[in-house]
Amino acid sequence: GNSVTQMEGPVTLSEEAFLTINCTYTATGYPSLFWYVQYPGEGLQLLLKATKADDKGSNKGFEATYRKETTSFHLEKGSVQVSDSAVYFCALISSGSARQLTFGSGTQLTVLP
Amino acid sequence: NAGVTQTPKFQVLKTGQSMTLQCAQDMNHEYMSWYRQDPGMGLRLIHYSVGAGITDQGEVPNGYNVSRSTTEDFPLRLLSAAPSQTSVYFCASSYGTGRDLTEAFFGQGTRLTVV
C-alpha cells in the first residue's frame, strides 16, 4: 500500500534560517506528491505539489522536487519567517485502489523572532 | 464561495451517545472525504465518496457511517461514541481524484472529545 514518512518534529528555527523537512514515500503506480500546511486552529491548505518525476513545486518561497530515484519530496525554504510557524504535511495520491490522499504524520515548525 | 464548511467546531460527547458531524461544500466537487487527525499519526481516511449515492470505506471506518444523498453534503455519523474516537475530524472535497487530483480543499475541522 501507500505510505509517507516525514521527519520527526518539532522543529524550532530562528527567523531567516534555512528549512528542510524530509519526506519519503512508497506508492503503487506513479503518485502525485503534495505538501499541505496547517496553521493554528485552521484546516489544511495546499502549499505546493508535483505530479511527475523531476517536477519542482514552489509557493511562498517554499520548494520541493519530486525525486523518483530516491522516492523523496523534501520541503525547503531559504529564509523562514515567524509567520511560517505551522504544521506541515507531506502527502501523496496514486492511481491505486483508494485514490485518496495518504498523509505523513506532520512536522510542527516553530520559528522564533 | 464558502468552500468546505464543517459544523460543529467543537463537541463533547458521553460514551455511547450518537451524533452527526456535518460537512457541506459549494464547489460542485464530486469527491468528498472524511479524515481523523491524531497526534503523531497524521490524517487517516475514514470514509470517502466519489459522487452522490456512492460511498466507500477508508483506512479506519469502524464506528462511523456516511451517506451522500446530494453532491453538496457528506455527513459523518458516530453511532455509539467511544473514547477512542476523541480526535479532530476534517472533511475534504476535490474535483478529481487519483492522477486527476489538482487540489483537495479542507474544512476547518471538528474537535470531538468523548468522555
Side-chain angles (χ1 to χ4, degrees), chain B residues 87-98:
Chain B
S87 187
V88 181
Y89 291 85
F90 287 100
C91 179
S93 75
S94 62
Y95 177 71
T97 191

Side-chain angles (χ1 to χ4, degrees), chain A residues 46-82:
Chain A
L46 178 66
L47 181 59
L48 53 84
K49 66 180 181 185
T51 58
K52 61 183 188 296
D54 300 325
D55 267 2
K56 178 185 283 189
S58 61
N59 186 25
K60 299 181 180 180
F62 291 89
E63 292 183 341
T65 301
Y66 189 144
R67 301 285 188 202
K68 190 166 182 290
E69 64 277 12
T70 54
T71 62
S72 65
F73 193 55
H74 304 321
L75 182 69
E76 296 182 337
K77 186 174 186 183
S79 177
V80 294
Q81 305 301 312
V82 172

Side-chain angles (χ1 to χ4, degrees), chain A residues 12-20 77-81 84 111:
Chain A
T12 302
L13 296 173
S14 298
E15 207 165 23
E16 299 184 2
F18 184 85
L19 169 71
T20 299
K77 186 174 186 183
S79 177
V80 294
Q81 305 301 312
D84 294 326
V111 181

Side-chain angles (χ1 to χ4, degrees), chain A:
Chain A
N2 299 334
S3 69
V4 176
T5 302
Q6 281 183 240
M7 66 183 287
E8 298 269 339
V11 174
T12 302
L13 296 173
S14 298
E15 207 165 23
E16 299 184 2
F18 184 85
L19 169 71
T20 299
I21 301 178
N22 290 339
C23 172
T24 58
Y25 67 89
T26 57
T28 55
Y30 299 95
S32 295
L33 302 175
F34 303 83
W35 277 100
Y36 276 83
V37 58
Q38 184 181 26
Y39 298 104
E42 298 185 9
L44 280 72
Q45 304 171 24
L46 178 66
L47 181 59
L48 53 84
K49 66 180 181 185
T51 58
K52 61 183 188 296
D54 300 325
D55 267 2
K56 178 185 283 189
S58 61
N59 186 25
K60 299 181 180 180
F62 291 89
E63 292 183 341
T65 301
Y66 189 144
R67 301 285 188 202
K68 190 166 182 290
E69 64 277 12
T70 54
T71 62
S72 65
F73 193 55
H74 304 321
L75 182 69
E76 296 182 337
K77 186 174 186 183
S79 177
V80 294
Q81 305 301 312
V82 172
S83 57
D84 294 326
S85 298
V87 181
Y88 293 82
F89 291 93
C90 185
L92 68 82
I93 193 164
S94 73
S95 54
S97 58
R99 302 178 76 201
Q100 299 297 316
L101 286 162
T102 298
F103 287 88
S105 58
T107 301
Q108 172 77 57
L109 170 67
T110 301
V111 181
L112 303 175

